[in-house]
Amino acid sequence: MQNSSPKTYFFNLIFSFHCLYHQHSKAMAALRKLLLPKNTSVVISTSPIYLSRRGIVSKLFVGGLSFYTTEKGLSEAFSQHGQVIEAKIVTDKVSERSKGFGFVTYASEDEAEKALQEMNGKPLNGRVIFVDYAKPKTDGGGMPIARGPPEPPVEQ
């Protein structure tokens, strides 16, 4: 890793924070102009580990997958449209069988957008897949699981 000045470290910290929450390149260009003097270059690692930890990647949801589609096959199909950082097929915990959907993570928003446009509605392993931007995970949600009889009402 290269030696970096405190200003570069501060910029990378702000850059990472911003990308985690917004992932907008235009806003980052404006922030870069405010924080860095002209003719200053900042080297940002492009390793997959750095990218995935910093949230600089774009993740797509892929539904309608064949049960025979593998993570390698998913990655190969989507890598035609950009640098795939990760391709993950969601499986049932008990049977370890595919649930028919997965996620593909790209190194940039542009590549993800291109893949979404090109792959949505296209066949993959004999099934028409649909592609959309992945939504952030939410805690809980859905129906609560019943655990015994309901609590008696509290008198006031």
Side-chain angles (χ1 to χ4, degrees):
M1 186 168 189
Q2 296 178 353
N3 293 338
S4 61
S5 69
K7 189 178 280 187
T8 303
Y9 174 78
F10 178 73
F11 174 79
N12 282 334
L13 185 66
I14 296 294
F15 180 84
S16 300
F17 177 76
H18 174 79
C19 289
L20 282 172
Y21 291 98
H22 299 288
Q23 296 184 352
H24 295 291
S25 59
K26 289 182 182 177
M28 277 316 303
L31 185 60
R32 193 177 301 119
K33 286 179 185 177
L34 288 172
L35 292 175
L36 295 176
K38 289 183 180 179
N39 301 324
T40 302
S41 63
V42 176
V43 177
I44 299 175
S45 171
T46 56
S47 73
I49 293 171
Y50 182 87
L51 291 169
S52 63
R53 284 190 177 170
R54 299 293 190 229
I56 306 173
V57 293
S58 293
K59 187 179 265 192
L60 298 176
F61 170 84
V62 183
L65 292 174
S66 164
F67 294 121
Y68 303 107
T69 301
T70 63
E71 289 179 352
K72 182 179 178 186
L74 185 64
S75 178
E76 288 173 356
F78 277 80
S79 66
Q80 298 172 21
H81 307 290
Q83 180 188 0
V84 173
I85 303 261
E86 179 186 40
K88 182 75 177 154
I89 294 177
V90 177
T91 57
D92 182 85
K93 290 179 184 176
V94 176
S95 68
E96 297 182 2
R97 186 175 175 191
S98 167
K99 288 188 174 186
F101 68 93
F103 298 93
V104 177
T105 306
Y106 278 95
S108 76
E109 290 180 27
D110 293 336
E111 292 171 336
E113 173 68 24
K114 181 181 173 192
L116 189 146
Q117 298 297 325
E118 295 291 325
M119 295 296 289
N120 191 30
K122 298 290 195 279
L124 180 65
N125 292 340
R127 301 270 314 257
V128 175
I129 61 171
F130 58 96
V131 182
D132 198 1
Y133 288 106
K135 310 234 181 326
K137 284 185 179 179
T138 58
D139 291 331
M143 294 289 289
I145 299 172
R147 305 249 189 241
E151 297 289 324
V154 178
E155 295 182 31
Q156 294 180 352

